[in-house]
Amino acid sequence: MISMPEAIDIVLSRAAPLEEESLPFPDAVGRVLASEVTAPRPHPPFPASIMDGYAVRAADVPGTLRVVGAARAGAPLARDKSDKSSESDADHGRAVYITTGAPVPPGFDAVVPIERVRFPGGDDAGAVAVADAFSPGANVRSVGSDIQRGEVLLRAGDRVGPHELGIAALAGVAEASTRRAPLVAVLSTGDELADPFADSRLASAASSPDDLRPSSIFDANRHMLLACAREAGARVMDLGIARDDPDALADAIARAVDAGADAVVASGGVSEGDKDHLKDVLLGSFGRVAGAVHFGRVMMKPGKPLTFAEISRTEDSISVTTVSTGRAGDVTGTDATDAPEGKRRREKKTVLAFGLPGNPVSAAVTFALVVAPAVRRMLGWADPRPRRLQAVLAQDIALDKERPEYHRATLDWEASGGDFANHDFADAGKTNLPLARSTGRQISSRLTSMRGAEVLLELPRGPGSVAKGSVVSALVIRDIGTQGGLQMPRVRPTVVKPKSPEVLGAATSSAAGIVARRDDEKKVFARRRARAIAVVTHPFVFAKSASDLAREADVPDSDRAVTDEGNDDGAAVLEATRRFLRRAGVAEGGDAAWRVFEARAENGTSRRLAAAARAAAESSSASIVLIAPSGPGAVSSQAAVVAGTDLGFPGLAPRMRAALERAFAETTEGEDERSDEPSLDGEDSDAEDAIAALAYRESGFGINAGQVAGAVVASLPCTNCEEALREGLTKMLIAPREKWEGLVS
Ligand code: AMP
Ligand code: MG
C-alpha cells in the first residue's frame, strides 16, 4: 500500500496546467495568470495634485498670488475670464485653485495645501498669501510616479485576487490571459442514498425524518464535494446519485467525459463489499469508459480505499477526440463526427478520476489531500500542495496502531500566546505556535468532526500517544480563523533592551503608530492604526465611585466635577480610552482589539499593576498599554511603571527611579494605602513633572522589528479619564526635553 505523500506525488504527476484562456479581467479573480501584465500607460497620466489647495509656481512662493482659475478633478482647467496672462509670463505671480487628483496646469509646478494659505482680502478677493517656501514638485504626483509605462504589474503564475484586479483596472488592462478552470464532475454512489435537497423535499415545508425510506440516508458527499471543488477554483458538474450498479456508474462517468470534464470525483463503492463496483468500472470492465488505475488503497486514516485513475471513452466514443499529448497513458479515440450540437471539438487529455471513500469524513479529507491539489495544479498554481504549519497539541492524542492519521483540529493562537505561562510547555521556541485542539471523536462517519476543522494534524502510526504540548505538523485545509474567536494568527511581542532612552521613546511611539505634532502640543494623532490597546485599571477596593460620592454629597450628576477620591471602573476607563483614541485616529476602523485588565488594588498595587501591564502587553500584542487613571496623584500607577522595569519594561533612569521609589515609600509609610491615597502633591513640583514626563516618555518596551508594535506604558493621574488620557498621551510623546534631561544620570 502506498503512503499518502506518495499518493499526492502520483496525482500531481498526472495533473497538468490547463490550456490558456483569455477572459475579461473581472472574471479572472481566482485564476492564475498565464502571462505577465505590463502597464500600457503611465499612472497618473498627468501631473496630479495630492492635496486640495492652490497650484503655484514654486519660484513664486513665499508671496501673494493672484487666483486666476480653478482645476478640479475630472474637469478641464477653468480660467477666470479676467485673466489675460499666458503661461510664458515671466512675472508669473498666479495661483489656480486645485482639488486632489486634478491635473496641475502647465506653467505650475507645486501645490500649496489649503491649510497653508491665507486670504488677505477675504475668501473671495482673488488672492492667496503663502508664507512658506515650497520646492518644485511639492504635493504633485508626477506622470508615471505610481505606475510607469511598460512596468510589469502582474507576473505569470500570479493568482488574481481583488487587489490584482484593482491593479489591472487602474492600468486599464481589460483582458486577462489565464489558465482555463477545470470542470470537475461529482457523483455519489450508493443504493441507500436520497437527495436531501430534492425538489420534492424543498417543496414541502414539513419535511421530517419520516420521508426517508427505513434503509436510506441522505447524500452528504455530493453537495459537500461540489462545494469543495468550487472553493478550490473549479467549475462543477453535478452527476447526481448513481445506484450501486456497474452500468449506472459507467454511464454517469461517460456523461462527465462527454461533457468535457477534466476530473470526475465519485464517492462510495471503492471498498471491498459486493456492491463496490467503481474500481472495476474504472478498469474498463464495463465498456464505455476505460482507464488506468494508479492506486486503489492508501496507507492512511481516514480514507484507506482512496482510488485514483485516468480514464477516457472506449470505441463507442462519439464526442471526445483524444490525441497524444505526450503524457503516458493517453488514449487515442475516434473522431467527433456526430458530436452533440454546440459541443466544442477539442483536444482531449485523459480525465482524472477519483474514487473517494463513502464515509463523509474520508471523502472530505481525501478531497483536501489529493483532489484540491490536482485542481490547483490544473489552474496553474506553482505549488498546489496543502500548506503545512506547526502547532502545539492542546491534549494527548492516542495514535492508530496501523495507519498514520490525519486528525482534524482547530487552531487557537490566543490561548497559546495569552496564558502561555499557564501551560506546562512554556518554552521559548513554542511561544508563537498555535494551539491545536482536536475536533473530537474521529470516526470517519462522524462528519461533525469536520466542523470548523482548519488543519489535519499529521500523526504517525502508533502504538502509544502523542503528548499534550508536543509540536506536530499540520496541513491547512481551510481558511484559518473559521472557529470564531481569533481571525488572525498573533505573535507575541519580544521584549528587547533599548539602546538609549532617546531611541526608545521614538521607537516605541512610532511602533505604536502615534505621532504628536510638535507645533501643537494639544494634538496627538495616529500615523497608523494601533494593533491592540490594552487598558489596565485598578479600582480601589474600598473607594467609592465618583457618582456615588456625588450622590452622597447631594450633588446632581450633571454638576459633578472631578472628584479627588475613587476611581472609574474598568468599563468606564475603557470607554473613555476608546473615545479618546478614536478621536485621535488611533483606532479608526475598529480593527484594534481592546482588552481590559483589572488589577485589584488591595496590597502590592504597583507590582500587581506592573504585572498586569506586562501581561496585557504580551497577551494582546498591544501597541499601547495604558495604566489608566488611578486617583489624583497616580502614584501607584507611576510606581507600577517603575516596578515594571523589574519585570522587563526598560524605562526610567536609575536616579529618577530612586526618586520615585523614595517618594512612594515616604507617602505610603505605615499607612493604609486605601484610606489615604498617596500623592506626590506638595513635593517639588518640577521633579514631579519630570518624573511624570519621564515615566510617560520612557516606560515603554521595545519591539520585535516588523512583527509587533511593542508597548507604551502611561500612567495617568486624574479621575477624569478622558482628560487624563489626553494629558498622558500628549506628555508621553512630546514632553519637552529640558523637563527631564537634567535629571537623567
Ligand atoms: P462505501 O464506501 O460505499 O462502502 O460507503 C461507506 C459508508 O459511507 C456507508 O456507511 C455509506 O452509507 C456511507 N456513504 C456513502 N456515500 C455517502 C454519501 N454520499 N453521503 C453520506 N454517506 C455516504
Ligand atoms: Mg456504498
Side-chain angles (χ1 to χ4, degrees):
M1 220 185 305
I2 61 168
S3 69
M4 193 58 187
E6 284 173 298
I8 296 177
D9 284 346
I10 292 170
V11 169
L12 289 180
S13 75
R14 308 307 308 162
L18 298 179
E19 66 273 18
E20 291 183 23
E21 178 180 73
S22 283
L23 68 175
F25 234 107
D27 300 337
V29 173
R31 299 288 189 91
V32 175
L33 293 176
S35 51
E36 69 180 23
V37 173
T38 53
R41 56 185 69 75
H43 181 81
F46 46 79
S49 177
I50 295 176
M51 306 289 269
D52 296 317
Y54 285 85
V56 301
R57 201 172 62 161
D60 290 345
V61 291
T64 299
L65 309 172
R66 208 154 31 90
V67 179
V68 298
R72 295 190 172 84
L77 170 65
R79 284 189 156 225
D80 289 351
K81 294 204 178 56
S82 57
D83 180 43
K84 298 285 179 288
S85 55
S86 79
E87 262 172 52
S88 52
D89 277 359
D91 171 26
H92 201 276
R94 292 174 293 142
V96 165
Y97 176 72
I98 194 163
T99 67
T100 305
V104 175
F108 296 82
D109 60 6
V111 171
V112 178
I114 193 91
E115 298 88 344
R116 308 276 291 274
V117 302
R118 284 180 305 104
F119 302 94
D123 278 6
D124 295 328
V128 288
V130 179
D132 308 308
F134 285 81
S135 33
N139 298 316
V140 178
R141 285 153 61 226
S142 60
V143 173
S145 58
D146 294 334
I147 294 174
Q148 282 170 11
R149 185 198 304 275
E151 183 179 334
V152 176
L153 298 173
L154 304 170
R155 292 177 195 284
D158 280 357
R159 205 163 157 238
V160 180
H163 306 137
E164 287 71 25
L165 173 60
I167 291 167
L170 192 65
V173 179
E175 202 163 79
S177 165
T178 68
R179 298 278 171 187
R180 183 171 65 75
L183 177 64
V184 173
V186 178
L187 80 148
S188 283
T189 74
D191 290 338
E192 74 276 35
L193 300 179
D195 191 343
F197 310 131
D199 291 346
S200 56
R201 282 178 52 78
L202 293 175
S204 81
S207 55
S208 68
D210 308 337
D211 58 14
L212 208 53
R213 283 187 297 125
S215 58
S216 291
I217 60 164
F218 286 125
D219 170 18
N221 294 354
R222 189 164 46 95
H223 300 289
M224 176 174 72
L225 298 174
L226 283 165
C228 286
R230 254 186 235 111
E231 193 183 67
R235 294 174 302 126
V236 299
M237 174 182 181
D238 184 354
L239 293 171
I241 298 168
R243 300 290 142 213
D244 281 324
D245 163 66
D247 290 322
L249 290 173
D251 193 62
I253 293 172
R255 269 192 288 135
V257 177
D258 286 350
D262 299 286
V264 179
V265 178
S267 67
V270 280
S271 22
E272 310 303 322
D274 63 3
K275 284 286 196 179
D276 293 330
H277 300 298
L278 191 67
K279 280 177 182 143
D280 284 343
V281 169
L282 295 174
L283 282 167
S285 313
F286 293 90
R288 306 196 65 199
V289 287
V293 173
H294 291 286
F295 56 80
R297 273 144 70 85
V298 179
M299 184 62 110
M300 68 180 296
K301 184 185 173 186
K304 186 164 76 170
L306 172 64
T307 299
F308 173 57
E310 277 174 280
I311 49 170
S312 61
R313 289 290 296 266
T314 50
E315 300 73 52
D316 61 340
S317 166
I318 48 165
S319 60
V320 179
T321 308
T322 57
V323 298
S324 174
T325 57
R327 293 184 343 160
D330 279 343
V331 180
T332 306
T334 53
D335 230 347
T337 42
D338 50 357
E341 267 281 296
K343 183 156 176 53
R344 216 157 32 114
R345 210 184 116 150
R346 46 189 280 265
E347 267 197 7
K348 186 65 200 163
K349 298 170 183 175
T350 53
V351 177
L352 306 185
F354 297 90
L356 311 187
N359 269 311
V361 174
S362 308
V365 167
T366 52
F367 188 99
L369 291 176
V370 299
V371 185
V375 168
R376 294 194 288 256
R377 166 59 56 78
M378 288 190 269
L379 280 164
W381 286 43
D383 178 7
R385 289 160 199 274
R387 302 280 179 258
R388 179 178 274 122
L389 50 71
Q390 291 190 321
V392 177
L393 283 189
Q395 70 244 79
D396 293 351
I397 297 185
L399 298 174
D400 185 84
K401 284 194 196 62
E402 263 132 43
R403 288 172 284 159
E405 186 180 7
Y406 291 89
H407 193 111
R408 282 81 69 202
T410 60
L411 298 179
D412 183 352
W413 263 266
E414 188 165 50
S416 61
D419 322 320
F420 213 82
N422 300 331
H423 293 294
D424 47 10
F425 43 83
D427 79 59
K430 299 177 190 171
T431 52
N432 288 334
L433 296 180
L435 208 56
R437 298 183 202 282
S438 169
T439 56
R441 203 161 65 94
Q442 299 281 301
I443 186 170
S444 63
S445 54
R446 184 176 163 259
L447 192 53
T448 45
S449 71
M450 289 300 296
R451 180 189 152 266
E454 296 157 307
V455 291
L456 300 172
L457 304 177
E458 299 176 291
L459 300 181
R461 160 166 100 167
S465 61
V466 188
K468 168 184 175 181
S470 305
V471 174
V472 297
S473 72
L475 298 175
V476 178
I477 57 170
R478 67 186 295 185
D479 284 350
I480 288 170
T482 41
Q483 250 321 61
L486 256 198
Q487 298 300 306
M488 288 283 292
R490 284 200 191 166
V491 176
R492 294 202 332 157
T494 305
V495 177
V496 293
K497 278 243 177 282
K499 279 219 179 73
S500 81
E502 270 285 59
V503 171
L504 177 71
T508 311
S509 56
S510 89
I514 296 174
V515 286
R517 271 167 62 159
R518 279 176 195 279
D519 54 345
D520 180 0
E521 299 212 352
K522 290 282 176 289
K523 276 194 187 149
V524 178
F525 61 92
R527 195 181 318 149
R528 54 188 161 78
R529 287 178 197 156
R531 274 172 62 95
I533 294 158
V535 179
V536 177
T537 70
H538 59 129
F540 287 99
V541 174
F542 296 121
K544 292 177 176 171
S545 75
S547 50
D548 280 347
L549 285 168
R551 218 165 294 123
E552 259 178 36
D554 232 351
V555 181
D557 260 11
S558 55
D559 288 353
R560 171 161 75 86
V562 173
T563 61
D564 59 1
E565 271 191 76
N567 285 94
D568 292 315
D569 64 10
V573 172
L574 180 67
E575 194 36 51
T577 311
R578 274 189 172 148
R579 238 179 299 139
F580 171 81
L581 289 169
R582 208 167 280 141
R583 221 180 303 130
V586 177
E588 246 167 42
D591 65 347
W594 299 83
R595 295 188 62 173
V596 187
F597 292 74
E598 286 204 12
R600 303 295 287 175
E602 289 158 34
N603 42 52
T605 314
S606 56
R607 251 159 222 287
R608 279 162 177 272
L609 278 180
R614 183 186 160 96
E618 290 186 355
S619 67
S620 61
S621 307
S623 303
I624 301 172
V625 174
L626 296 167
I627 296 183
S630 63
V635 172
S636 313
S637 306
Q638 291 185 15
V641 173
V642 172
T645 60
D646 288 343
L647 292 162
F649 292 111
L652 302 179
R655 195 169 143 203
M656 291 312 315
R657 185 197 158 99
L660 238 179
E661 271 174 352
R662 209 166 42 243
F664 184 59
E666 272 168 30
T667 51
T668 55
E669 216 173 354
E671 284 181 7
D672 182 347
E673 188 183 312
R674 294 166 306 218
S675 59
D676 184 8
E677 170 66 11
S679 167
L680 283 178
D681 284 344
E683 301 276 331
D684 173 357
S685 73
D686 275 349
E688 188 191 338
D689 271 357
I691 287 167
L694 235 137
Y696 296 145
R697 189 182 164 87
E698 305 305 344
S699 309
F701 74 86
I703 57 167
N704 180 2
Q707 287 201 317
V708 290
V712 175
V713 179
S715 70
L716 305 163
C718 189
T719 48
N720 177 332
C721 300
E722 226 163 322
E723 255 313 295
L725 287 161
R726 165 175 284 282
E727 271 286 300
L729 276 170
T730 308
K731 273 191 188 169
M732 172 174 75
L733 298 166
I734 57 174
R737 189 184 173 88
E738 56 279 11
K739 276 270 192 185
W740 50 269
E741 195 177 33
L743 294 159
V744 181
S745 52

Short mmCIF file of all heavy atoms in Angstrom, two decimals, residues 604-637:
data_model
loop_
_atom_site.label_atom_id
_atom_site.label_comp_id
_atom_site.label_asym_id
_atom_site.label_seq_id
_atom_site.Cartn_x
_atom_site.Cartn_y
_atom_site.Cartn_z
N GLY A 604 0.19 45.69 47.53
CA GLY A 604 1.17 45.47 46.46
C GLY A 604 0.66 45.98 45.11
O GLY A 604 0.90 45.40 44.06
N THR A 605 -0.06 47.10 45.17
CA THR A 605 -0.69 47.62 43.97
C THR A 605 0.26 47.78 42.80
O THR A 605 -0.04 47.36 41.68
CB THR A 605 -1.27 49.02 44.25
OG1 THR A 605 -1.96 48.96 45.47
CG2 THR A 605 -2.20 49.45 43.15
N SER A 606 1.38 48.40 43.09
CA SER A 606 2.25 48.75 41.98
C SER A 606 2.73 47.51 41.26
O SER A 606 2.79 47.44 40.04
CB SER A 606 3.43 49.57 42.47
OG SER A 606 4.11 48.86 43.47
N ARG A 607 3.08 46.52 42.04
CA ARG A 607 3.58 45.29 41.43
C ARG A 607 2.48 44.58 40.65
O ARG A 607 2.70 44.06 39.56
CB ARG A 607 4.14 44.36 42.50
CG ARG A 607 5.61 44.32 42.39
CD ARG A 607 6.37 43.87 43.58
NE ARG A 607 7.54 44.75 43.72
CZ ARG A 607 8.58 44.68 42.89
NH1 ARG A 607 8.62 43.81 41.92
NH2 ARG A 607 9.58 45.51 43.04
N ARG A 608 1.31 44.58 41.25
CA ARG A 608 0.20 43.93 40.55
C ARG A 608 -0.07 44.64 39.23
O ARG A 608 -0.31 44.02 38.21
CB ARG A 608 -1.08 44.00 41.40
CG ARG A 608 -1.11 42.94 42.45
CD ARG A 608 -2.13 43.29 43.51
NE ARG A 608 -2.20 42.21 44.47
CZ ARG A 608 -2.99 41.17 44.34
NH1 ARG A 608 -3.80 41.10 43.30
NH2 ARG A 608 -3.00 40.22 45.22
N LEU A 609 -0.03 45.95 39.31
CA LEU A 609 -0.28 46.72 38.09
C LEU A 609 0.79 46.46 37.05
O LEU A 609 0.50 46.28 35.87
CB LEU A 609 -0.33 48.21 38.40
CG LEU A 609 -1.66 48.70 38.93
CD1 LEU A 609 -1.57 50.19 39.21
CD2 LEU A 609 -2.75 48.43 37.92
N ALA A 610 2.02 46.45 37.53
CA ALA A 610 3.11 46.24 36.59
C ALA A 610 2.97 44.88 35.93
O ALA A 610 3.15 44.72 34.72
CB ALA A 610 4.45 46.36 37.30
N ALA A 611 2.63 43.88 36.76
CA ALA A 611 2.47 42.53 36.22
C ALA A 611 1.32 42.50 35.23
O ALA A 611 1.41 41.89 34.16
CB ALA A 611 2.24 41.53 37.35
N ALA A 612 0.25 43.20 35.59
CA ALA A 612 -0.91 43.22 34.70
C ALA A 612 -0.57 43.92 33.38
O ALA A 612 -0.97 43.49 32.31
CB ALA A 612 -2.09 43.91 35.36
N ALA A 613 0.21 45.01 33.50
CA ALA A 613 0.58 45.75 32.29
C ALA A 613 1.41 44.87 31.37
O ALA A 613 1.22 44.83 30.16
CB ALA A 613 1.38 46.99 32.67
N ARG A 614 2.30 44.16 31.99
CA ARG A 614 3.16 43.28 31.19
C ARG A 614 2.33 42.18 30.54
O ARG A 614 2.47 41.91 29.34
CB ARG A 614 4.23 42.68 32.10
CG ARG A 614 5.23 41.82 31.38
CD ARG A 614 6.13 41.17 32.43
NE ARG A 614 6.77 40.00 31.88
CZ ARG A 614 7.99 40.02 31.37
NH1 ARG A 614 8.66 41.13 31.34
NH2 ARG A 614 8.52 38.93 30.89
N ALA A 615 1.48 41.59 31.33
CA ALA A 615 0.64 40.51 30.78
C ALA A 615 -0.22 41.05 29.64
O ALA A 615 -0.39 40.41 28.61
CB ALA A 615 -0.25 39.92 31.87
N ALA A 616 -0.74 42.26 29.86
CA ALA A 616 -1.59 42.86 28.84
C ALA A 616 -0.81 43.07 27.55
O ALA A 616 -1.27 42.75 26.45
CB ALA A 616 -2.14 44.19 29.33
N ALA A 617 0.40 43.61 27.72
CA ALA A 617 1.21 43.89 26.53
C ALA A 617 1.52 42.61 25.78
O ALA A 617 1.46 42.54 24.57
CB ALA A 617 2.51 44.56 26.96
N GLU A 618 1.84 41.57 26.55
CA GLU A 618 2.26 40.34 25.90
C GLU A 618 1.10 39.59 25.28
O GLU A 618 1.18 39.11 24.16
CB GLU A 618 2.98 39.45 26.90
CG GLU A 618 4.32 40.04 27.27
CD GLU A 618 5.11 39.11 28.17
OE1 GLU A 618 4.56 38.06 28.57
OE2 GLU A 618 6.24 39.44 28.45
N SER A 619 0.03 39.52 26.00
CA SER A 619 -1.02 38.62 25.53
C SER A 619 -1.90 39.26 24.47
O SER A 619 -2.58 38.57 23.74
CB SER A 619 -1.88 38.15 26.69
OG SER A 619 -2.59 39.24 27.20
N SER A 620 -1.87 40.58 24.38
CA SER A 620 -2.72 41.17 23.35
C SER A 620 -1.89 41.79 22.23
O SER A 620 -2.42 42.48 21.40
CB SER A 620 -3.65 42.21 23.97
OG SER A 620 -2.88 43.23 24.56
N SER A 621 -0.60 41.54 22.23
CA SER A 621 0.28 42.16 21.24
C SER A 621 0.01 43.66 21.18
O SER A 621 -0.07 44.23 20.11
CB SER A 621 0.06 41.58 19.85
OG SER A 621 0.16 40.21 19.87
N ALA A 622 -0.16 44.25 22.31
CA ALA A 622 -0.65 45.61 22.33
C ALA A 622 0.37 46.60 21.79
O ALA A 622 1.56 46.48 22.01
CB ALA A 622 -1.03 46.00 23.74
N SER A 623 -0.14 47.57 21.08
CA SER A 623 0.69 48.69 20.69
C SER A 623 0.81 49.66 21.85
O SER A 623 1.77 50.38 21.99
CB SER A 623 0.06 49.44 19.54
OG SER A 623 -0.15 48.59 18.47
N ILE A 624 -0.24 49.70 22.61
CA ILE A 624 -0.29 50.66 23.69
C ILE A 624 -0.82 49.95 24.92
O ILE A 624 -1.81 49.24 24.85
CB ILE A 624 -1.27 51.81 23.37
CG1 ILE A 624 -0.86 52.51 22.08
CG2 ILE A 624 -1.35 52.79 24.52
CD1 ILE A 624 -1.88 53.52 21.62
N VAL A 625 -0.14 50.14 26.01
CA VAL A 625 -0.72 49.69 27.27
C VAL A 625 -0.91 50.93 28.12
O VAL A 625 0.03 51.68 28.36
CB VAL A 625 0.20 48.71 28.02
CG1 VAL A 625 -0.39 48.38 29.38
CG2 VAL A 625 0.36 47.44 27.20
N LEU A 626 -2.10 51.19 28.50
CA LEU A 626 -2.36 52.33 29.35
C LEU A 626 -2.60 51.83 30.76
O LEU A 626 -3.41 50.94 30.96
CB LEU A 626 -3.62 53.06 28.87
CG LEU A 626 -3.53 53.69 27.49
CD1 LEU A 626 -4.91 54.07 27.02
CD2 LEU A 626 -2.63 54.90 27.54
N ILE A 627 -1.86 52.38 31.69
CA ILE A 627 -2.23 52.13 33.07
C ILE A 627 -3.15 53.30 33.40
O ILE A 627 -2.72 54.43 33.51
CB ILE A 627 -1.01 52.09 34.00
CG1 ILE A 627 -0.13 50.92 33.60
CG2 ILE A 627 -1.46 51.95 35.45
CD1 ILE A 627 1.08 50.74 34.47
N ALA A 628 -4.40 53.00 33.52
CA ALA A 628 -5.40 54.05 33.46
C ALA A 628 -5.55 54.77 34.80
O ALA A 628 -5.01 54.34 35.80
CB ALA A 628 -6.71 53.45 33.02
N PRO A 629 -6.30 55.85 34.79
CA PRO A 629 -6.41 56.76 35.93
C PRO A 629 -6.53 56.04 37.26
O PRO A 629 -7.31 55.11 37.41
CB PRO A 629 -7.68 57.53 35.62
CG PRO A 629 -7.69 57.57 34.15
CD PRO A 629 -7.14 56.24 33.69
N SER A 630 -5.77 56.51 38.19
CA SER A 630 -5.72 55.80 39.46
C SER A 630 -5.94 56.73 40.64
O SER A 630 -5.60 56.40 41.75
CB SER A 630 -4.37 55.14 39.60
OG SER A 630 -3.38 56.14 39.64
N GLY A 631 -6.47 57.87 40.39
CA GLY A 631 -6.63 58.78 41.52
C GLY A 631 -5.84 60.04 41.28
O GLY A 631 -5.14 60.15 40.28
N PRO A 632 -5.95 61.00 42.18
CA PRO A 632 -5.37 62.32 41.92
C PRO A 632 -3.87 62.31 41.70
O PRO A 632 -3.36 62.98 40.81
CB PRO A 632 -5.74 63.11 43.18
CG PRO A 632 -6.15 62.10 44.19
CD PRO A 632 -6.66 60.91 43.45
N GLY A 633 -3.14 61.53 42.47
CA GLY A 633 -1.69 61.59 42.34
C GLY A 633 -1.15 60.57 41.37
O GLY A 633 -0.05 60.70 40.86
N ALA A 634 -1.92 59.56 41.16
CA ALA A 634 -1.50 58.48 40.28
C ALA A 634 -0.21 57.85 40.73
O ALA A 634 0.56 57.34 39.93
CB ALA A 634 -1.36 58.97 38.84
N VAL A 635 0.03 57.93 42.01
CA VAL A 635 1.33 57.45 42.49
C VAL A 635 1.46 55.95 42.27
O VAL A 635 2.50 55.46 41.84
CB VAL A 635 1.51 57.81 43.98
CG1 VAL A 635 2.76 57.14 44.53
CG2 VAL A 635 1.61 59.31 44.11
N SER A 636 0.41 55.24 42.55
CA SER A 636 0.50 53.79 42.37
C SER A 636 0.82 53.44 40.93
O SER A 636 1.61 52.56 40.65
CB SER A 636 -0.82 53.11 42.74
OG SER A 636 -1.26 53.60 43.96
N SER A 637 0.18 54.17 40.05
CA SER A 637 0.41 53.88 38.64
C SER A 637 1.84 54.17 38.25
O SER A 637 2.48 53.41 37.54
CB SER A 637 -0.53 54.71 37.76
OG SER A 637 -1.85 54.51 38.17
#
